[in-house]
Amino acid sequence: MALAGRSNVGKSSLINALTGRGNTARVSKHPGRTQQLNFFGLSNRLGLVDMPGYGYAAVSKGTKKVWNDLIVRFLRGRPTLRRALVLVDSRHGIKDSDRQVFDLLDEAAVTWQLVLTKCDALGKAGLEERIAGCAAEIGKRPAAHPVIVPTSAEKNLGIETLREELAGLAKPA
């Protein structure tokens, strides 16, 4: 399971929430903290990969290119990758850089699922509107899993739902 998303979208925070431990993945308020692929095993049944963020980060263009190349190489031709989770900040919605990742995953025939983060920052109506807009956009994508999971690592919202989704993809116990 790979976690992709813009810098500072909450990939590491989500891993910590999913594992129930606040220190599994290193979290920072500064974009670009995750600079390599970080692998986390869950009971020998499922592995999570925390990938560097794409989009904004306070690093050089050369470093961003290295990260993007790393992400592309990891995602292409990886038969053990069950699904990629593409995290999108619910406050901002889908950006062009997210669409580029959608394109890459669609072309590589990697099933991916949209996970909205930081959903506690939106009201109920705003969140429903964001989910509807995202659903309309990803519904046109061939490799997109149709279920969007709204989450908040801070408030533990949607974490159990996402755990259930991941458990369905894990190796049998």
Side-chain angles (χ1 to χ4, degrees):
M1 208 46 106
L3 279 78
R6 292 175 47 80
S7 295
N8 241 33
V9 74
K11 295 178 297 295
S12 299
S13 295
L14 186 63
I15 287 173
N16 290 337
L18 288 169
T19 62
R21 295 183 301 242
N23 61 354
T24 301
R26 201 167 181 196
V27 176
S28 174
K29 292 193 184 293
H30 304 289
R33 182 64 153 165
T34 303
Q35 299 185 6
Q36 56 193 6
L37 299 175
N38 294 307
F39 295 80
F40 303 95
L42 302 176
S43 306
N44 293 324
R45 296 182 55 220
L46 186 67
L48 297 177
V49 182
D50 187 8
M51 299 194 303
Y54 51 84
Y56 173 77
V59 296
S60 71
K61 287 182 181 180
T63 299
K64 285 183 193 178
K65 180 169 178 11
V66 168
W67 292 352
N68 288 338
D69 291 346
L70 177 70
I71 292 167
V72 168
R73 282 194 320 272
F74 177 78
L75 292 175
R76 284 203 173 142
R78 186 161 300 276
T80 58
L81 183 61
R82 302 295 302 263
R83 183 175 296 164
L85 302 179
V86 182
L87 280 58
V88 169
D89 187 324
S90 64
R91 302 170 300 175
H92 307 295
I94 297 171
K95 301 284 188 190
D96 285 340
S97 56
D98 298 311
R99 290 180 185 99
Q100 291 171 358
V101 171
F102 300 166
D103 290 343
L104 167 70
L105 293 167
D106 288 344
E107 289 168 18
V110 172
T111 301
W112 57 273
Q113 182 169 12
L114 191 66
V115 176
L116 292 174
T117 62
K118 305 177 185 184
C119 290
D120 55 312
L122 295 177
K124 184 178 178 181
L127 180 57
E128 289 175 359
E129 185 177 320
R130 179 69 72 207
I131 291 169
C134 290
E137 184 165 343
I138 71 166
K140 303 170 191 168
R141 299 285 183 160
H145 183 68
V147 177
I148 296 171
V149 182
T151 65
S152 167
E154 187 174 305
K155 304 281 186 183
N156 209 35
L157 301 173
I159 301 304
E160 193 56 41
T161 301
L162 188 55
R163 281 185 187 135
E164 290 170 8
E165 286 276 328
L166 298 180
L169 298 169
K171 295 177 188 173

PDB file of all heavy atoms in Angstrom, residues 5-8 11 30-37 51-75 104:
ATOM      1  N   GLY A   5       0.757  11.884  -2.043  1.00  0.00           N
ATOM      2  CA  GLY A   5       0.028  13.125  -1.826  1.00  0.00           C
ATOM      3  C   GLY A   5       0.962  14.312  -1.841  1.00  0.00           C
ATOM      4  O   GLY A   5       2.184  14.158  -1.774  1.00  0.00           O
ATOM      5  N   ARG A   6       0.362  15.474  -1.930  1.00  0.00           N
ATOM      6  CA  ARG A   6       1.144  16.703  -1.915  1.00  0.00           C
ATOM      7  C   ARG A   6       1.900  16.818  -0.607  1.00  0.00           C
ATOM      8  O   ARG A   6       1.535  16.213   0.400  1.00  0.00           O
ATOM      9  CB  ARG A   6       0.224  17.914  -2.090  1.00  0.00           C
ATOM     10  CG  ARG A   6      -0.399  17.992  -3.479  1.00  0.00           C
ATOM     11  CD  ARG A   6      -1.397  19.120  -3.634  1.00  0.00           C
ATOM     12  NE  ARG A   6      -0.960  20.397  -3.127  1.00  0.00           N
ATOM     13  CZ  ARG A   6      -0.142  21.245  -3.769  1.00  0.00           C
ATOM     14  NH1 ARG A   6       0.309  20.916  -4.961  1.00  0.00           N
ATOM     15  NH2 ARG A   6       0.185  22.387  -3.244  1.00  0.00           N
ATOM     16  N   SER A   7       2.946  17.610  -0.614  1.00  0.00           N
ATOM     17  CA  SER A   7       3.695  17.875   0.606  1.00  0.00           C
ATOM     18  C   SER A   7       2.774  18.453   1.664  1.00  0.00           C
ATOM     19  O   SER A   7       1.938  19.310   1.371  1.00  0.00           O
ATOM     20  CB  SER A   7       4.829  18.871   0.327  1.00  0.00           C
ATOM     21  OG  SER A   7       5.763  18.311  -0.558  1.00  0.00           O
ATOM     22  N   ASN A   8       2.890  17.932   2.871  1.00  0.00           N
ATOM     23  CA  ASN A   8       2.132  18.397   4.042  1.00  0.00           C
ATOM     24  C   ASN A   8       0.640  18.070   3.995  1.00  0.00           C
ATOM     25  O   ASN A   8      -0.149  18.689   4.691  1.00  0.00           O
ATOM     26  CB  ASN A   8       2.329  19.906   4.257  1.00  0.00           C
ATOM     27  CG  ASN A   8       2.972  20.190   5.594  1.00  0.00           C
ATOM     28  OD1 ASN A   8       3.780  19.404   6.075  1.00  0.00           O
ATOM     29  ND2 ASN A   8       2.618  21.294   6.189  1.00  0.00           N
ATOM     30  N   LYS A  11       0.328  12.553   5.120  1.00  0.00           N
ATOM     31  CA  LYS A  11       0.621  11.132   4.904  1.00  0.00           C
ATOM     32  C   LYS A  11       1.172  10.482   6.170  1.00  0.00           C
ATOM     33  O   LYS A  11       0.690   9.432   6.607  1.00  0.00           O
ATOM     34  CB  LYS A  11       1.607  10.961   3.740  1.00  0.00           C
ATOM     35  CG  LYS A  11       1.046  11.394   2.391  1.00  0.00           C
ATOM     36  CD  LYS A  11       2.056  11.251   1.276  1.00  0.00           C
ATOM     37  CE  LYS A  11       3.283  12.117   1.434  1.00  0.00           C
ATOM     38  NZ  LYS A  11       3.020  13.565   1.368  1.00  0.00           N
ATOM     39  N   HIS A  30       6.648  21.288   8.492  1.00  0.00           N
ATOM     40  CA  HIS A  30       7.367  21.854   7.351  1.00  0.00           C
ATOM     41  C   HIS A  30       7.287  20.907   6.159  1.00  0.00           C
ATOM     42  O   HIS A  30       7.678  19.745   6.255  1.00  0.00           O
ATOM     43  CB  HIS A  30       8.827  22.117   7.716  1.00  0.00           C
ATOM     44  CG  HIS A  30       8.982  23.000   8.907  1.00  0.00           C
ATOM     45  ND1 HIS A  30       8.692  24.340   8.876  1.00  0.00           N
ATOM     46  CD2 HIS A  30       9.346  22.722  10.181  1.00  0.00           C
ATOM     47  CE1 HIS A  30       8.891  24.859  10.066  1.00  0.00           C
ATOM     48  NE2 HIS A  30       9.289  23.900  10.888  1.00  0.00           N
ATOM     49  N   PRO A  31       6.762  21.389   5.027  1.00  0.00           N
ATOM     50  CA  PRO A  31       6.661  20.545   3.831  1.00  0.00           C
ATOM     51  C   PRO A  31       8.023  20.012   3.399  1.00  0.00           C
ATOM     52  O   PRO A  31       9.029  20.710   3.479  1.00  0.00           O
ATOM     53  CB  PRO A  31       6.109  21.492   2.763  1.00  0.00           C
ATOM     54  CG  PRO A  31       5.476  22.607   3.522  1.00  0.00           C
ATOM     55  CD  PRO A  31       6.257  22.732   4.797  1.00  0.00           C
ATOM     56  N   GLY A  32       8.042  18.758   2.971  1.00  0.00           N
ATOM     57  CA  GLY A  32       9.272  18.174   2.444  1.00  0.00           C
ATOM     58  C   GLY A  32      10.076  17.407   3.465  1.00  0.00           C
ATOM     59  O   GLY A  32      11.230  17.056   3.220  1.00  0.00           O
ATOM     60  N   ARG A  33       9.503  17.101   4.613  1.00  0.00           N
ATOM     61  CA  ARG A  33      10.237  16.378   5.657  1.00  0.00           C
ATOM     62  C   ARG A  33      10.538  14.946   5.224  1.00  0.00           C
ATOM     63  O   ARG A  33      11.624  14.435   5.441  1.00  0.00           O
ATOM     64  CB  ARG A  33       9.419  16.391   6.952  1.00  0.00           C
ATOM     65  CG  ARG A  33      10.111  15.723   8.090  1.00  0.00           C
ATOM     66  CD  ARG A  33      11.341  16.500   8.404  1.00  0.00           C
ATOM     67  NE  ARG A  33      11.684  16.309   9.796  1.00  0.00           N
ATOM     68  CZ  ARG A  33      12.842  16.621  10.279  1.00  0.00           C
ATOM     69  NH1 ARG A  33      13.760  17.145   9.506  1.00  0.00           N
ATOM     70  NH2 ARG A  33      13.095  16.429  11.535  1.00  0.00           N
ATOM     71  N   THR A  34       9.549  14.266   4.625  1.00  0.00           N
ATOM     72  CA  THR A  34       9.773  12.906   4.134  1.00  0.00           C
ATOM     73  C   THR A  34      10.528  13.016   2.819  1.00  0.00           C
ATOM     74  O   THR A  34      10.027  13.580   1.853  1.00  0.00           O
ATOM     75  CB  THR A  34       8.439  12.160   3.926  1.00  0.00           C
ATOM     76  OG1 THR A  34       7.725  12.151   5.165  1.00  0.00           O
ATOM     77  CG2 THR A  34       8.671  10.727   3.466  1.00  0.00           C
ATOM     78  N   GLN A  35      11.754  12.471   2.797  1.00  0.00           N
ATOM     79  CA  GLN A  35      12.608  12.642   1.632  1.00  0.00           C
ATOM     80  C   GLN A  35      12.997  11.331   0.967  1.00  0.00           C
ATOM     81  O   GLN A  35      13.810  11.318   0.051  1.00  0.00           O
ATOM     82  CB  GLN A  35      13.859  13.432   2.020  1.00  0.00           C
ATOM     83  CG  GLN A  35      13.519  14.810   2.532  1.00  0.00           C
ATOM     84  CD  GLN A  35      14.728  15.667   2.801  1.00  0.00           C
ATOM     85  OE1 GLN A  35      15.861  15.293   2.500  1.00  0.00           O
ATOM     86  NE2 GLN A  35      14.498  16.838   3.348  1.00  0.00           N
ATOM     87  N   GLN A  36      12.428  10.233   1.440  1.00  0.00           N
ATOM     88  CA  GLN A  36      12.707   8.932   0.849  1.00  0.00           C
ATOM     89  C   GLN A  36      11.487   8.043   1.051  1.00  0.00           C
ATOM     90  O   GLN A  36      10.523   8.451   1.684  1.00  0.00           O
ATOM     91  CB  GLN A  36      13.933   8.308   1.500  1.00  0.00           C
ATOM     92  CG  GLN A  36      13.806   8.174   2.998  1.00  0.00           C
ATOM     93  CD  GLN A  36      15.132   7.850   3.666  1.00  0.00           C
ATOM     94  OE1 GLN A  36      16.159   7.828   3.024  1.00  0.00           O
ATOM     95  NE2 GLN A  36      15.098   7.603   4.948  1.00  0.00           N
ATOM     96  N   LEU A  37      11.542   6.855   0.510  1.00  0.00           N
ATOM     97  CA  LEU A  37      10.458   5.907   0.736  1.00  0.00           C
ATOM     98  C   LEU A  37      10.649   5.299   2.120  1.00  0.00           C
ATOM     99  O   LEU A  37      11.717   4.778   2.426  1.00  0.00           O
ATOM    100  CB  LEU A  37      10.474   4.798  -0.320  1.00  0.00           C
ATOM    101  CG  LEU A  37      10.290   5.242  -1.770  1.00  0.00           C
ATOM    102  CD1 LEU A  37      10.451   4.051  -2.701  1.00  0.00           C
ATOM    103  CD2 LEU A  37       8.945   5.903  -1.969  1.00  0.00           C
ATOM    104  N   MET A  51       5.565   7.953   1.048  1.00  0.00           N
ATOM    105  CA  MET A  51       6.377   8.495  -0.033  1.00  0.00           C
ATOM    106  C   MET A  51       6.587   9.997   0.147  1.00  0.00           C
ATOM    107  O   MET A  51       5.761  10.664   0.783  1.00  0.00           O
ATOM    108  CB  MET A  51       5.712   8.219  -1.382  1.00  0.00           C
ATOM    109  CG  MET A  51       5.546   6.738  -1.641  1.00  0.00           C
ATOM    110  SD  MET A  51       5.157   6.315  -3.346  1.00  0.00           S
ATOM    111  CE  MET A  51       3.694   7.221  -3.652  1.00  0.00           C
ATOM    112  N   PRO A  52       7.661  10.529  -0.412  1.00  0.00           N
ATOM    113  CA  PRO A  52       7.834  11.987  -0.374  1.00  0.00           C
ATOM    114  C   PRO A  52       6.650  12.673  -1.039  1.00  0.00           C
ATOM    115  O   PRO A  52       6.051  12.138  -1.970  1.00  0.00           O
ATOM    116  CB  PRO A  52       9.109  12.229  -1.185  1.00  0.00           C
ATOM    117  CG  PRO A  52       9.817  10.924  -1.205  1.00  0.00           C
ATOM    118  CD  PRO A  52       8.746   9.871  -1.130  1.00  0.00           C
ATOM    119  N   GLY A  53       6.323  13.847  -0.546  1.00  0.00           N
ATOM    120  CA  GLY A  53       5.230  14.599  -1.129  1.00  0.00           C
ATOM    121  C   GLY A  53       5.607  15.219  -2.460  1.00  0.00           C
ATOM    122  O   GLY A  53       6.772  15.423  -2.762  1.00  0.00           O
ATOM    123  N   TYR A  54       4.600  15.489  -3.243  1.00  0.00           N
ATOM    124  CA  TYR A  54       4.824  16.202  -4.500  1.00  0.00           C
ATOM    125  C   TYR A  54       4.215  17.584  -4.348  1.00  0.00           C
ATOM    126  O   TYR A  54       3.478  17.856  -3.403  1.00  0.00           O
ATOM    127  CB  TYR A  54       4.234  15.448  -5.693  1.00  0.00           C
ATOM    128  CG  TYR A  54       2.792  15.016  -5.536  1.00  0.00           C
ATOM    129  CD1 TYR A  54       1.750  15.894  -5.822  1.00  0.00           C
ATOM    130  CD2 TYR A  54       2.465  13.741  -5.118  1.00  0.00           C
ATOM    131  CE1 TYR A  54       0.424  15.508  -5.688  1.00  0.00           C
ATOM    132  CE2 TYR A  54       1.144  13.339  -4.984  1.00  0.00           C
ATOM    133  CZ  TYR A  54       0.133  14.231  -5.266  1.00  0.00           C
ATOM    134  OH  TYR A  54      -1.173  13.841  -5.134  1.00  0.00           O
ATOM    135  N   GLY A  55       4.518  18.463  -5.276  1.00  0.00           N
ATOM    136  CA  GLY A  55       4.017  19.832  -5.170  1.00  0.00           C
ATOM    137  C   GLY A  55       4.952  20.677  -4.338  1.00  0.00           C
ATOM    138  O   GLY A  55       6.165  20.505  -4.370  1.00  0.00           O
ATOM    139  N   TYR A  56       4.401  21.538  -3.508  1.00  0.00           N
ATOM    140  CA  TYR A  56       5.194  22.485  -2.744  1.00  0.00           C
ATOM    141  C   TYR A  56       6.030  21.802  -1.663  1.00  0.00           C
ATOM    142  O   TYR A  56       5.554  20.961  -0.927  1.00  0.00           O
ATOM    143  CB  TYR A  56       4.310  23.524  -2.058  1.00  0.00           C
ATOM    144  CG  TYR A  56       5.099  24.407  -1.124  1.00  0.00           C
ATOM    145  CD1 TYR A  56       5.893  25.428  -1.626  1.00  0.00           C
ATOM    146  CD2 TYR A  56       5.098  24.170   0.235  1.00  0.00           C
ATOM    147  CE1 TYR A  56       6.649  26.209  -0.781  1.00  0.00           C
ATOM    148  CE2 TYR A  56       5.853  24.951   1.099  1.00  0.00           C
ATOM    149  CZ  TYR A  56       6.625  25.969   0.584  1.00  0.00           C
ATOM    150  OH  TYR A  56       7.397  26.734   1.422  1.00  0.00           O
ATOM    151  N   ALA A  57       7.283  22.163  -1.596  1.00  0.00           N
ATOM    152  CA  ALA A  57       8.176  21.805  -0.487  1.00  0.00           C
ATOM    153  C   ALA A  57       9.333  22.789  -0.546  1.00  0.00           C
ATOM    154  O   ALA A  57       9.734  23.241  -1.618  1.00  0.00           O
ATOM    155  CB  ALA A  57       8.678  20.374  -0.609  1.00  0.00           C
ATOM    156  N   ALA A  58       9.865  23.120   0.600  1.00  0.00           N
ATOM    157  CA  ALA A  58      10.954  24.095   0.676  1.00  0.00           C
ATOM    158  C   ALA A  58      12.292  23.421   0.378  1.00  0.00           C
ATOM    159  O   ALA A  58      13.184  23.350   1.222  1.00  0.00           O
ATOM    160  CB  ALA A  58      10.968  24.752   2.047  1.00  0.00           C
ATOM    161  N   VAL A  59      12.400  22.877  -0.835  1.00  0.00           N
ATOM    162  CA  VAL A  59      13.636  22.237  -1.282  1.00  0.00           C
ATOM    163  C   VAL A  59      13.904  22.673  -2.714  1.00  0.00           C
ATOM    164  O   VAL A  59      13.042  23.244  -3.382  1.00  0.00           O
ATOM    165  CB  VAL A  59      13.548  20.692  -1.207  1.00  0.00           C
ATOM    166  CG1 VAL A  59      13.382  20.227   0.236  1.00  0.00           C
ATOM    167  CG2 VAL A  59      12.422  20.154  -2.061  1.00  0.00           C
ATOM    168  N   SER A  60      15.100  22.369  -3.193  1.00  0.00           N
ATOM    169  CA  SER A  60      15.487  22.780  -4.538  1.00  0.00           C
ATOM    170  C   SER A  60      14.687  22.026  -5.602  1.00  0.00           C
ATOM    171  O   SER A  60      14.138  20.949  -5.346  1.00  0.00           O
ATOM    172  CB  SER A  60      16.979  22.510  -4.752  1.00  0.00           C
ATOM    173  OG  SER A  60      17.209  21.109  -4.848  1.00  0.00           O
ATOM    174  N   LYS A  61      14.660  22.596  -6.796  1.00  0.00           N
ATOM    175  CA  LYS A  61      13.983  21.933  -7.916  1.00  0.00           C
ATOM    176  C   LYS A  61      14.631  20.591  -8.220  1.00  0.00           C
ATOM    177  O   LYS A  61      13.951  19.633  -8.574  1.00  0.00           O
ATOM    178  CB  LYS A  61      14.012  22.820  -9.153  1.00  0.00           C
ATOM    179  CG  LYS A  61      13.083  24.005  -9.072  1.00  0.00           C
ATOM    180  CD  LYS A  61      13.111  24.823 -10.347  1.00  0.00           C
ATOM    181  CE  LYS A  61      12.176  26.019 -10.213  1.00  0.00           C
ATOM    182  NZ  LYS A  61      12.171  26.848 -11.414  1.00  0.00           N
ATOM    183  N   GLY A  62      15.956  20.524  -8.071  1.00  0.00           N
ATOM    184  CA  GLY A  62      16.672  19.273  -8.303  1.00  0.00           C
ATOM    185  C   GLY A  62      16.235  18.187  -7.342  1.00  0.00           C
ATOM    186  O   GLY A  62      16.033  17.030  -7.727  1.00  0.00           O
ATOM    187  N   THR A  63      16.057  18.554  -6.067  1.00  0.00           N
ATOM    188  CA  THR A  63      15.603  17.590  -5.055  1.00  0.00           C
ATOM    189  C   THR A  63      14.186  17.139  -5.367  1.00  0.00           C
ATOM    190  O   THR A  63      13.861  15.955  -5.268  1.00  0.00           O
ATOM    191  CB  THR A  63      15.684  18.204  -3.646  1.00  0.00           C
ATOM    192  OG1 THR A  63      17.042  18.549  -3.378  1.00  0.00           O
ATOM    193  CG2 THR A  63      15.183  17.242  -2.592  1.00  0.00           C
ATOM    194  N   LYS A  64      13.325  18.075  -5.753  1.00  0.00           N
ATOM    195  CA  LYS A  64      11.951  17.707  -6.113  1.00  0.00           C
ATOM    196  C   LYS A  64      11.938  16.724  -7.277  1.00  0.00           C
ATOM    197  O   LYS A  64      11.156  15.776  -7.284  1.00  0.00           O
ATOM    198  CB  LYS A  64      11.141  18.949  -6.484  1.00  0.00           C
ATOM    199  CG  LYS A  64      10.730  19.797  -5.316  1.00  0.00           C
ATOM    200  CD  LYS A  64       9.872  20.947  -5.803  1.00  0.00           C
ATOM    201  CE  LYS A  64       9.706  21.991  -4.734  1.00  0.00           C
ATOM    202  NZ  LYS A  64       8.923  23.131  -5.203  1.00  0.00           N
ATOM    203  N   LYS A  65      12.806  16.946  -8.267  1.00  0.00           N
ATOM    204  CA  LYS A  65      12.876  16.048  -9.415  1.00  0.00           C
ATOM    205  C   LYS A  65      13.312  14.657  -8.979  1.00  0.00           C
ATOM    206  O   LYS A  65      12.734  13.659  -9.419  1.00  0.00           O
ATOM    207  CB  LYS A  65      13.820  16.587 -10.486  1.00  0.00           C
ATOM    208  CG  LYS A  65      13.902  15.653 -11.687  1.00  0.00           C
ATOM    209  CD  LYS A  65      14.593  16.253 -12.861  1.00  0.00           C
ATOM    210  CE  LYS A  65      14.741  15.345 -14.044  1.00  0.00           C
ATOM    211  NZ  LYS A  65      14.036  14.112 -14.088  1.00  0.00           N
ATOM    212  N   VAL A  66      14.286  14.585  -8.087  1.00  0.00           N
ATOM    213  CA  VAL A  66      14.738  13.289  -7.577  1.00  0.00           C
ATOM    214  C   VAL A  66      13.579  12.575  -6.873  1.00  0.00           C
ATOM    215  O   VAL A  66      13.346  11.387  -7.074  1.00  0.00           O
ATOM    216  CB  VAL A  66      15.946  13.458  -6.619  1.00  0.00           C
ATOM    217  CG1 VAL A  66      16.236  12.173  -5.854  1.00  0.00           C
ATOM    218  CG2 VAL A  66      17.174  13.909  -7.391  1.00  0.00           C
ATOM    219  N   TRP A  67      12.834  13.299  -6.041  1.00  0.00           N
ATOM    220  CA  TRP A  67      11.689  12.704  -5.335  1.00  0.00           C
ATOM    221  C   TRP A  67      10.646  12.217  -6.322  1.00  0.00           C
ATOM    222  O   TRP A  67      10.135  11.112  -6.194  1.00  0.00           O
ATOM    223  CB  TRP A  67      11.036  13.715  -4.401  1.00  0.00           C
ATOM    224  CG  TRP A  67      11.852  14.122  -3.232  1.00  0.00           C
ATOM    225  CD1 TRP A  67      13.043  13.597  -2.819  1.00  0.00           C
ATOM    226  CD2 TRP A  67      11.540  15.158  -2.311  1.00  0.00           C
ATOM    227  NE1 TRP A  67      13.482  14.258  -1.700  1.00  0.00           N
ATOM    228  CE2 TRP A  67      12.580  15.219  -1.366  1.00  0.00           C
ATOM    229  CE3 TRP A  67      10.484  16.051  -2.197  1.00  0.00           C
ATOM    230  CZ2 TRP A  67      12.578  16.133  -0.320  1.00  0.00           C
ATOM    231  CZ3 TRP A  67      10.488  16.956  -1.158  1.00  0.00           C
ATOM    232  CH2 TRP A  67      11.527  16.992  -0.225  1.00  0.00           C
ATOM    233  N   ASN A  68      10.304  13.061  -7.306  1.00  0.00           N
ATOM    234  CA  ASN A  68       9.283  12.678  -8.283  1.00  0.00           C
ATOM    235  C   ASN A  68       9.710  11.450  -9.077  1.00  0.00           C
ATOM    236  O   ASN A  68       8.907  10.547  -9.330  1.00  0.00           O
ATOM    237  CB  ASN A  68       8.952  13.845  -9.208  1.00  0.00           C
ATOM    238  CG  ASN A  68       8.159  14.924  -8.505  1.00  0.00           C
ATOM    239  OD1 ASN A  68       7.515  14.690  -7.495  1.00  0.00           O
ATOM    240  ND2 ASN A  68       8.214  16.130  -9.041  1.00  0.00           N
ATOM    241  N   ASP A  69      10.995  11.402  -9.472  1.00  0.00           N
ATOM    242  CA  ASP A  69      11.503  10.239 -10.196  1.00  0.00           C
ATOM    243  C   ASP A  69      11.428   8.986  -9.323  1.00  0.00           C
ATOM    244  O   ASP A  69      11.081   7.905  -9.796  1.00  0.00           O
ATOM    245  CB  ASP A  69      12.944  10.468 -10.661  1.00  0.00           C
ATOM    246  CG  ASP A  69      13.057  11.520 -11.764  1.00  0.00           C
ATOM    247  OD1 ASP A  69      12.014  11.888 -12.351  1.00  0.00           O
ATOM    248  OD2 ASP A  69      14.183  11.974 -12.028  1.00  0.00           O
ATOM    249  N   LEU A  70      11.740   9.132  -8.040  1.00  0.00           N
ATOM    250  CA  LEU A  70      11.665   8.025  -7.087  1.00  0.00           C
ATOM    251  C   LEU A  70      10.237   7.496  -6.996  1.00  0.00           C
ATOM    252  O   LEU A  70       9.996   6.284  -7.052  1.00  0.00           O
ATOM    253  CB  LEU A  70      12.147   8.494  -5.713  1.00  0.00           C
ATOM    254  CG  LEU A  70      12.080   7.493  -4.567  1.00  0.00           C
ATOM    255  CD1 LEU A  70      13.111   6.386  -4.771  1.00  0.00           C
ATOM    256  CD2 LEU A  70      12.337   8.211  -3.241  1.00  0.00           C
ATOM    257  N   ILE A  71       9.282   8.394  -6.899  1.00  0.00           N
ATOM    258  CA  ILE A  71       7.871   8.009  -6.807  1.00  0.00           C
ATOM    259  C   ILE A  71       7.438   7.265  -8.069  1.00  0.00           C
ATOM    260  O   ILE A  71       6.810   6.204  -7.999  1.00  0.00           O
ATOM    261  CB  ILE A  71       6.979   9.245  -6.555  1.00  0.00           C
ATOM    262  CG1 ILE A  71       7.246   9.801  -5.150  1.00  0.00           C
ATOM    263  CG2 ILE A  71       5.508   8.920  -6.734  1.00  0.00           C
ATOM    264  CD1 ILE A  71       6.662  11.181  -4.915  1.00  0.00           C
ATOM    265  N   VAL A  72       7.791   7.808  -9.234  1.00  0.00           N
ATOM    266  CA  VAL A  72       7.409   7.183 -10.509  1.00  0.00           C
ATOM    267  C   VAL A  72       8.011   5.790 -10.618  1.00  0.00           C
ATOM    268  O   VAL A  72       7.322   4.823 -10.969  1.00  0.00           O
ATOM    269  CB  VAL A  72       7.834   8.069 -11.698  1.00  0.00           C
ATOM    270  CG1 VAL A  72       7.715   7.329 -13.014  1.00  0.00           C
ATOM    271  CG2 VAL A  72       7.005   9.345 -11.727  1.00  0.00           C
ATOM    272  N   ARG A  73       9.296   5.659 -10.308  1.00  0.00           N
ATOM    273  CA  ARG A  73       9.951   4.348 -10.391  1.00  0.00           C
ATOM    274  C   ARG A  73       9.318   3.348  -9.432  1.00  0.00           C
ATOM    275  O   ARG A  73       9.157   2.175  -9.753  1.00  0.00           O
ATOM    276  CB  ARG A  73      11.451   4.473 -10.101  1.00  0.00           C
ATOM    277  CG  ARG A  73      12.257   5.009 -11.266  1.00  0.00           C
ATOM    278  CD  ARG A  73      13.766   4.805 -11.084  1.00  0.00           C
ATOM    279  NE  ARG A  73      14.261   5.018  -9.739  1.00  0.00           N
ATOM    280  CZ  ARG A  73      14.671   6.193  -9.238  1.00  0.00           C
ATOM    281  NH1 ARG A  73      14.645   7.268  -9.989  1.00  0.00           N
ATOM    282  NH2 ARG A  73      15.126   6.280  -8.006  1.00  0.00           N
ATOM    283  N   PHE A  74       8.955   3.802  -8.245  1.00  0.00           N
ATOM    284  CA  PHE A  74       8.343   2.901  -7.269  1.00  0.00           C
ATOM    285  C   PHE A  74       6.970   2.419  -7.732  1.00  0.00           C
ATOM    286  O   PHE A  74       6.646   1.250  -7.609  1.00  0.00           O
ATOM    287  CB  PHE A  74       8.210   3.582  -5.902  1.00  0.00           C
ATOM    288  CG  PHE A  74       7.517   2.713  -4.892  1.00  0.00           C
ATOM    289  CD1 PHE A  74       8.200   1.687  -4.270  1.00  0.00           C
ATOM    290  CD2 PHE A  74       6.180   2.901  -4.595  1.00  0.00           C
ATOM    291  CE1 PHE A  74       7.557   0.855  -3.356  1.00  0.00           C
ATOM    292  CE2 PHE A  74       5.531   2.078  -3.686  1.00  0.00           C
ATOM    293  CZ  PHE A  74       6.227   1.055  -3.064  1.00  0.00           C
ATOM    294  N   LEU A  75       6.177   3.310  -8.271  1.00  0.00           N
ATOM    295  CA  LEU A  75       4.794   2.975  -8.616  1.00  0.00           C
ATOM    296  C   LEU A  75       4.659   2.126  -9.872  1.00  0.00           C
ATOM    297  O   LEU A  75       3.737   1.335  -9.984  1.00  0.00           O
ATOM    298  CB  LEU A  75       3.968   4.253  -8.763  1.00  0.00           C
ATOM    299  CG  LEU A  75       3.731   5.041  -7.480  1.00  0.00           C
ATOM    300  CD1 LEU A  75       3.021   6.342  -7.783  1.00  0.00           C
ATOM    301  CD2 LEU A  75       2.965   4.225  -6.450  1.00  0.00           C
ATOM    302  N   LEU A 104      -0.612   9.193 -13.886  1.00  0.00           N
ATOM    303  CA  LEU A 104       0.469   8.216 -13.766  1.00  0.00           C
ATOM    304  C   LEU A 104      -0.073   6.864 -13.304  1.00  0.00           C
ATOM    305  O   LEU A 104       0.250   5.825 -13.881  1.00  0.00           O
ATOM    306  CB  LEU A 104       1.528   8.716 -12.773  1.00  0.00           C
ATOM    307  CG  LEU A 104       2.553   7.693 -12.315  1.00  0.00           C
ATOM    308  CD1 LEU A 104       3.493   7.322 -13.445  1.00  0.00           C
ATOM    309  CD2 LEU A 104       3.343   8.222 -11.128  1.00  0.00           C
TER     310      LEU A 104
END
